[in-house]
Amino acid sequence: MTLSFKPLESTSTAFFHEMFHASFYTPPGEAPLTFEATRSPELRRYYEYWGREGDLGFVAMRGEEPVAIVWSRRFDQEEPGYGFVSADVPEFGVAVKKGMRGEGIGQQLMDHFLNALRERGDRQVSLSVHGDNHAAQWYQRMGFRTVAFDGKTMTMVMEL
């Protein structure tokens, strides 16, 4: 499977919003996050006004079809993201289209993204992940380590 990667230039596309919504884990027995909830001010801050200093993201393409996305943004101490570590550490989210998971698309996209962060000069990257989410193990295998846990959610960091 050949993938190409293009810079994430806009977060106002239907594909971005589909993937942003798909990136939220629903624990067993809980109601899934509604699509409308992803437009709340608390979550919009992850993508609103995309392209500001420090934003970095990519769309994985299989031919002409977008199949996955990764985005990152830096937050400050006054308005931290869920995976906030410090103002100079970008926090990221990633999602692969349903029906295409388990094919290595996410790993190829993450490899591309992490290399771009290194090339940009970032030293760390962080994320927030629910402790029951199987993706947490995937992040650990990539080299992320848990730096905070509130009983439900882990903040993980990778040294670049």
Side-chain angles (χ1 to χ4, degrees):
M1 161 202 37
T2 302
L3 293 176
S4 61
F5 306 98
K6 65 180 198 175
L8 177 62
E9 295 175 348
S10 172
T11 58
S12 62
T13 66
F15 180 70
F16 176 83
H17 286 278
E18 174 191 344
M19 293 293 91
F20 186 73
H21 181 257
S23 72
F24 290 92
Y25 172 75
T26 303
E30 291 189 20
L33 183 73
T34 65
F35 191 80
E36 293 75 30
T38 64
R39 291 196 166 107
S40 70
E42 183 179 359
L43 297 180
R44 266 196 336 250
R45 64 194 174 129
Y46 282 89
Y47 61 82
E48 196 168 48
Y49 308 115
W50 184 258
R52 65 188 199 191
E53 186 176 342
D55 287 354
L56 181 67
F58 297 96
V59 179
M61 305 290 293
R62 183 184 277 166
E64 296 298 312
E65 178 186 12
V67 294
I69 195 163
V70 63
W71 64 95
S72 66
R73 174 165 275 180
R74 293 183 181 122
F75 292 94
D76 57 36
Q77 187 84 30
E78 292 77 34
E79 294 184 59
Y82 293 119
F84 181 79
V85 176
S86 77
D88 63 340
V89 176
E91 181 180 342
F92 79 95
V94 62
V96 177
K97 233 177 176 179
K98 285 185 180 180
M100 298 186 164
R101 296 173 186 161
E103 298 180 22
I105 293 169
Q107 188 63 59
Q108 288 182 57
L109 178 57
M110 283 299 297
D111 290 346
H112 182 81
F113 171 64
L114 294 170
N115 284 334
L117 287 171
R118 287 180 190 102
E119 288 173 10
R120 187 172 79 170
D122 289 284
R123 294 182 168 198
Q124 295 179 314
V125 64
S126 71
L127 75 145
S128 173
V129 63
H130 194 285
D132 291 340
N133 188 336
H134 68 277
Q137 295 171 1
W138 179 56
Y139 296 126
Q140 288 173 332
R141 286 193 304 273
M142 275 191 272
F144 284 85
R145 62 185 169 79
T146 302
V147 296
F149 181 62
D150 68 5
K152 282 188 187 180
T153 306
M154 296 184 285
T155 298
M156 301 182 85
V157 172
M158 175 187 262
E159 303 293 327
L160 300 170

